[in-house]
Each structure stands twice: as structure tokens, then as C-alpha cells.
């Protein structure tokens, strides 16, 4: 047998190194668990959350391909293949649901994406710390108001009989407008009330990105005689561009998953033609009508569209800007 220069065959030496690494790895893991068990314990609740509320429902998505019966359970129900998807695609309300969801989500994305950026850039240029913190607090505070309370405030504000808007119109001699009963106003009410609630919170992310920009770039721009606007355009905006691209990709990836709660609470029989979206349809079909198979099929269809949009937009953003989720 040919020996390695150090006296052991190459294969034996490699095997010894692998075995030694394994033997050292397990005791090291045990020591790490004993030393940092508090940190590992903190990881357990998030893991349980994802297992119980994310991965287990993914397994039960097989209901979309079955004629689900509560009596026979998920795995005992009859297999029907793509029949539930055909029922949804052939439903007369299919295109209305898709159009309402896309239009509402697209409107929200286009309107809500630039406002936090503008707010963060403006706050970053404010020199008065007290004024800056006051504005940041005022814009950030609505985020902690629950959606139910925001919708209640909106209804009271826009009520045609007792609302503040009606009182203002009456003061100027203008007849009151039923904003909540007119379907043409639903999307505007939904989007701008949501922007009011979340713009301050979203601006914090961009403020953190602005804080990470090298101060030397601002000094160099100041030495070159750049104005505030030029510094914003050539220093601040490129500095927060990676963050903005990631948030945009996530926003487009969730374009079909627009919030159910606010849409359902603002919904009424008069504005149903524009307020009925896929999320509210799934709730009514699955929980109110107890058609769990169809509701699961619609939800799975929605998730697949979101996944395709996320992958597509991430690929485009990666190619155009060089930044993406992965």
C-alpha cells in the first residue's frame, strides 16, 4: 500500500478529519445549548408559530382538490381534482373579483409607495429636532390604531347625516354626499385612510436607511456647492434605493393579498360592485356559506398569482437595479 508522505493513506487521512469534525461538532453543539439555552428558548415560539399557522395550513391546502366533508375529514373526503378551480373560473363574478382586487391593490401601491419616501426625505432635512420629533410622532401614532377603530372614525367622518364632512358641506350650502354608499368613492376612502394610518410607520424604515448613508457624501456634496435638492437627488435617493426596491418588490408580491378586514368593514350593499374583492369572497364562501373546498381553491389561486408576481418583479428589479430579495 502506498503511504501518504506523513505516513497515512490519503483516504484514511480525509476520513479521520471528517470523523474528527463530527466528534468535535456534537460536543460543541451540546456546550452551546447548555451555555445559551435562553436564546434557543426564545426561538421556540416563532418556530411554533410558523409550524402551526403557516406549514400545517399548507398541508391542508389539499382541500382545494377535494369535496371536503367535515364528517370524513381532510384525507377522507373525495378527490375531485381541479373541479373547484373550474367552478371559480366559470363563476360570473370571477373577472369582477380579479379586476376589483387588482385595481384596488394597484391604486394602493402606486399611491402609498412614494409618500413614506417623501416624508422621510423631508424629515431628514428638518434641522429643528423638536419639530422633527413632533411630526414623526403625529404621523407614526395612527399606526397603533386598530383597523376597526379607523373604519369607525371614517364612517363617522363621512356619514351623510351626522358626519363632519356633511356638516362642512352644509356650512357652505352644499348638499351632503353619501361617500360610503357611492361605489366610485370606495377605493379612494380605502386607500387614503390606509395611507394616513401607515405612512409614518413606513417612513421610519427609510429614515433608518438615510441614517446609514456615509456623512462624507453629504460633506463632499456641500463642498461642491450642491443645493439641498441636489443632495437629495444625488445622495439620499441613491442611498435608500436598495431599501425602496425591496419594499416595492414585497408590495407587488402582495398585490393580490390586500387587506381583508378594512375592505369588509367598509363594504355595504351599495358599494359592493367595487368593494367585493377576492379576500372578502373567500370569507363569505368559506365561513358564511361553508363551502370550504371552493374557498381554499380561491385562496390557493390567489397565493399562486402572488408568487408569480413576486418572482417576476424580483427578477426585473434584480436586472434593472441590481437589488432584490435574493
Amino acid at each position: 500500500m502506498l503511504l501518504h508522505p506523513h505516513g497515512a493513506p490519503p483516504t484514511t487521512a480525509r476520513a479521520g478529519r471528517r470523523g474528527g469534525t463530527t466528534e468535535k461538532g456534537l460536543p460543541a453543539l451540546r456546550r452551546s445549548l447548555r451555555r445559551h439555552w435562553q436564546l434557543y428558548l426564545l426561538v421556540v415560539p416563532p418556530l411554533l408559530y410558523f409550524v402551526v399557522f403557516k406549514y400545517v395550513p399548507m398541508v391542508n391546502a389539499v382541500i382545494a382538490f377535494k369535496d371536503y366533508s367535515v364528517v370524513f375529514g381532510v384525507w377522507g373526503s373525495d378527490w375531485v381534482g381541479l373541479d373547484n378551480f373550474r367552478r371559480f373560473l366559470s363563476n360570473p363574478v370571477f373577472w369582477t373579483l380579479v379586476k376589483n382586487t387588482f385595481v384596488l391593490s394597484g391604486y394602493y401601491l402606486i399611491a402609498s409607495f412614494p409618500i413614506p419616501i417623501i416624508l422621510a426625505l423631508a424629515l431628514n432635512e428638518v434641522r429643528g429636532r423638536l419639530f422633527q420629533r413632533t411630526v414623526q410622532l403625529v404621523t407614526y401614532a395612527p399606526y397603533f390604531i386598530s383597523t376597526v377603530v379607523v373604519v369607525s372614525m371614517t364612517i363617522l367622518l363621512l356619514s351623510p347625516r351626522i358626519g363632519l364632512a356633511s356638516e362642512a358641506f352644509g356650512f357652505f350650502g352644499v348638499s351632503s354626499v353619501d361617500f360610503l354608499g357611492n361605489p366610485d368613492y370606495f377605493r379612494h376612502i380605502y386607500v387614503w385612510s390606509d395611507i394616513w394610518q401607515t405612512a409614518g410607520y413606513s417612513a421610519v424604515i427609510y429614515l433608518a436607511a438615510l441614517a446609514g448613508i456615509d456623512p462624507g457624501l453629504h460633506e463632499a456634496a456641500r463642498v461642491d456647492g450642491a443645493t439641498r435638492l441636489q443632495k437629495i437627488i444625488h445622495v439620499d435617493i441613491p442611498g435608500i434605493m436598495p431599501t425602496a426596491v425591496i419594499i416595492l418588490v414585497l408590495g407587488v408580491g402582495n398585490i393580490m393579498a390586500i387587506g381583508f378586514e378594512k375592505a369588509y368593514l367598509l363594504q355595504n350593499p351599495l358599494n359592493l360592485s367595487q368593494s367585493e374583492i377576492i379576500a372578502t369572497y373567500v370569507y363569505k364562501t368559506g365561513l358564511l356559506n361553508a363551502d370550504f373546498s371552493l374557498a381554499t381553491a380561491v385562496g390557493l389561486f390567489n397565493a399562486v398569482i402572488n408568487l408569480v408576481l413576486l418572482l417576476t418583479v424580483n427578477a426585473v428589479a434584480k436586472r434593472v437595479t441590481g437589488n432584490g430579495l435574493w
Side-chain angles (χ1 to χ4, degrees):
M1 178 183 293
L2 295 177
L3 295 178
H4 191 265
H6 295 290
T11 55
T12 305
R14 287 195 297 269
R17 286 195 295 270
R18 286 197 299 268
T21 302
T22 304
E23 291 174 0
K24 291 179 180 179
L26 291 176
L29 178 60
R30 295 191 191 99
R31 286 196 301 270
S32 178
L33 287 173
R34 285 196 300 266
R35 184 178 302 173
H36 307 293
W37 66 269
Q38 299 94 336
L39 299 179
Y40 287 103
L41 189 63
L42 289 175
V43 178
V44 173
L47 288 177
L48 288 177
Y49 169 79
F50 280 101
V51 170
V52 173
F53 295 103
K54 301 296 181 181
Y55 289 100
V56 172
M58 286 171 61
V59 175
N60 290 332
V62 71
I63 294 175
F65 305 94
K66 295 194 169 198
D67 182 13
Y68 176 71
S69 171
V70 179
V71 177
F72 298 109
V74 175
W75 305 106
S77 301
D78 295 332
W79 183 271
V80 295
L82 299 176
D83 285 353
N84 292 313
F85 295 92
R86 294 192 189 98
R87 288 171 58 197
F88 177 57
L89 295 176
S90 61
N91 195 314
V93 302
F94 169 74
W95 290 111
T96 301
L97 293 174
V98 173
K99 184 192 76 171
N100 288 344
T101 305
F102 263 108
V103 172
L104 184 60
S105 300
Y107 180 15
Y108 175 74
L109 183 64
I110 293 172
S112 64
F113 178 70
I115 290 179
I117 298 177
I118 296 172
L119 178 60
L121 292 172
L123 288 173
N124 192 55
E125 291 298 317
V126 173
R127 294 293 174 261
R129 302 299 296 176
L130 178 61
F131 178 76
Q132 181 189 44
R133 292 175 181 176
T134 302
V135 173
Q136 191 171 352
L137 175 63
V138 170
T139 56
Y140 188 82
Y143 181 78
F144 295 98
I145 304 175
S146 70
T147 303
V148 176
V149 175
V150 171
V151 171
S152 300
M153 293 167 58
T154 304
I155 292 174
L156 290 175
L157 178 66
L158 301 178
S159 173
R161 292 189 297 107
I162 60 173
L164 183 62
S166 177
E167 295 291 335
F169 287 152
F171 179 79
F172 291 102
V174 180
S175 59
S176 61
V177 179
D178 188 4
F179 291 100
L180 299 173
N182 190 334
D184 294 334
Y185 292 116
F186 171 79
R187 292 179 182 134
H188 304 297
I189 296 171
Y190 181 99
V191 169
W192 292 104
S193 63
D194 209 78
I195 290 174
W196 171 78
Q197 186 178 9
T198 60
Y201 174 81
S202 301
V204 173
I205 301 173
Y206 295 108
L207 284 171
L210 287 169
I213 297 177
D214 185 3
L217 297 176
H218 288 282
E219 293 295 333
R222 189 178 298 109
V223 170
D224 291 339
T227 63
R228 278 194 175 187
L229 182 60
Q230 289 172 330
K231 285 189 293 183
I232 290 174
I233 294 174
H234 299 290
V235 178
D236 291 339
I237 292 180
I240 64 174
M241 188 58 66
T243 303
V245 169
I246 291 174
I247 291 177
L248 179 62
V249 170
L250 291 174
V252 175
N254 289 322
I255 200 168
M256 295 290 286
I258 193 163
F260 150 79
E261 190 176 11
K262 180 175 285 186
Y264 184 74
L265 292 173
L266 287 173
Q267 193 176 88
N268 60 61
L270 297 177
N271 61 22
L272 200 61
S273 61
Q274 292 192 12
S275 63
E276 186 76 307
I277 58 177
I278 290 178
T280 58
Y281 180 78
V282 168
Y283 169 75
K284 294 176 182 177
T285 302
L287 294 182
L288 300 186
N289 297 334
D291 195 342
F292 302 108
S293 297
L294 179 59
T296 307
V298 177
L300 188 59
F301 167 83
N302 201 25
V304 170
I305 297 297
N306 275 333
L307 178 61
V308 172
L309 287 173
L310 178 63
L311 295 176
T312 303
V313 175
N314 185 72
V316 172
K318 193 77 172 179
R319 181 179 296 272
V320 174
T321 66
N323 299 304
L325 291 176
W326 57 83

